[in-house]
Amino acid sequence: MAHVASSNSIRTFRPHFPTAESPPVPFTGATFPFREKPRRQFPVVACQTKSNSSTENSTVKEKQADSSGTDDAGAATSSPSDSAGLPEFPTRNLNRRIAVGSGLFGVGLFVLGRLDFGVSLKDLSAVALPYEEALSNGKPTVVEFYADWCEVCRELAPDVYKVEQQYKGQVNFVMLNVDNTKWEQELDEFGVEGIPHFAFLDRDGNEEGNVVGRLPRRYLMENVEALAQGEATVPHARVVGQFSKAESRKVRPVSDPTSHG
């Protein structure tokens, strides 16, 4: 204990130590005013364990499904004008159509090239009608006297083929090779001195005119048109261009009496 001496009396002070049984002694001293400071707000950081990963994935999937559904609905309700401005990307069907179109275009070029440059005298003679049959079927006839060595005959083959294809079924087309001794009588009958020599016969086999040598295709075309229309005469009855002389023919024996070449 501490003892303090005074003139009047002696007071004894005992230190007080709060215990669990005794209530706290209220503070009766002077109080000082103070301002309450605002509390700082700190961001909340949440830690997520593995157990919630499945929940998060399902939530993300639901959001994606909702967004895709929204996109689909927007696309379904979009106006045709919006999609019309977008470029069309190639598809398998489009590529197939392009391939087919390219193939047809290539075939067309091949056919055109065949008509203009690939037709030979051998091709014409292979499809020509036999002379005897042409005189007996009641149709007008064009008889061409030619030779394989004739340069002008080879040059005019594509033009002859085009005219023949245009009037096929209306006019007979016959090819007679001057090198074949089988046609000696016909050479004299039609007065063949140069080749190619085109003789135009009516339905009864009577000659209406002839065209000899290299000439524009229209001469042949107009004469054939007159025959197909059954006219009494042809517009070009006697026209001669550059030709090969028939005297240069290479006579050969007849290998096939029924051949018209």
Side-chain angles (χ1 to χ4, degrees):
M1 299 181 182
H3 298 274
V4 179
S6 66
S7 59
N8 296 326
S9 62
I10 299 175
R11 293 181 182 183
T12 302
F13 295 93
R14 294 181 180 180
H16 178 78
F17 300 94
T19 61
E21 291 80 3
S22 60
V25 179
F27 178 76
T28 59
T31 60
F32 300 92
F34 64 94
R35 295 180 180 180
E36 185 177 358
K37 297 182 178 180
R39 297 182 180 180
R40 297 180 61 183
Q41 299 293 332
F42 297 96
V44 179
V45 179
C47 298
Q48 189 165 353
T49 60
K50 294 182 179 180
S51 59
N52 296 332
S53 60
S54 59
T55 306
E56 181 182 0
N57 294 336
S58 61
T59 305
V60 172
K61 291 182 179 179
E62 291 177 359
K63 291 182 178 180
Q64 293 178 352
D66 296 339
S67 61
S68 63
T70 304
D71 296 341
D72 295 341
T77 56
S78 61
S79 61
S81 60
D82 297 338
S83 61
L86 298 177
E88 182 179 0
F89 293 97
T91 60
R92 183 176 299 178
N93 293 334
L94 180 60
N95 293 335
R96 185 181 295 108
R97 292 177 182 177
I98 294 175
V100 172
S102 300
L104 294 177
F105 181 74
V107 172
L109 290 179
F110 173 78
V111 172
L112 291 177
R114 176 71 176 174
L115 293 179
D116 293 338
F117 304 103
V119 177
S120 65
L121 293 172
K122 184 177 181 180
D123 296 332
L124 291 178
S125 62
V127 298
L129 197 66
Y131 181 62
E132 294 81 2
E133 181 179 346
L135 295 179
S136 61
N137 63 8
K139 296 180 181 179
T141 302
V142 177
V143 180
E144 178 184 359
F145 293 89
Y146 76 101
D148 295 332
W149 47 264
C150 174
E151 181 179 355
V152 179
C153 299
R154 292 195 299 267
E155 292 178 2
L156 294 181
D159 290 341
V160 176
Y161 181 81
K162 291 179 181 179
V163 175
E164 178 180 349
Q165 292 300 311
Q166 183 172 349
Y167 293 94
K168 188 176 182 179
Q170 304 179 52
V171 179
N172 302 319
F173 288 86
V174 177
M175 299 281 292
L176 300 183
N177 195 328
V178 297
D179 290 340
N180 193 333
T181 57
K182 177 181 179 180
W183 310 118
E184 293 288 348
Q185 180 178 349
E186 282 72 21
L187 290 173
D188 295 336
E189 179 181 352
F190 290 99
V192 178
E193 297 180 355
I195 54 176
H197 180 111
F198 297 92
F200 303 93
L201 312 181
D202 61 13
R203 301 178 186 276
D204 298 327
N206 301 318
E207 184 180 12
E208 295 187 1
N210 58 72
V211 172
V212 180
R214 182 189 290 111
L215 292 168
R217 185 174 59 183
R218 68 181 183 86
Y219 287 88
L220 178 62
M221 178 75 73
E222 292 174 358
N223 281 1
V224 174
E225 174 67 20
L227 291 180
Q229 296 297 328
E231 299 180 6
T233 59
V234 294
H236 310 287
R238 179 66 179 176
V239 183
V240 179
Q242 184 180 359
F243 60 89
S244 298
K245 293 183 179 181
E247 297 176 355
S248 302
R249 66 193 184 103
K250 303 175 182 178
V251 180
R252 58 181 174 81
V254 179
S255 58
D256 184 6
T258 63
S259 174
H260 59 278

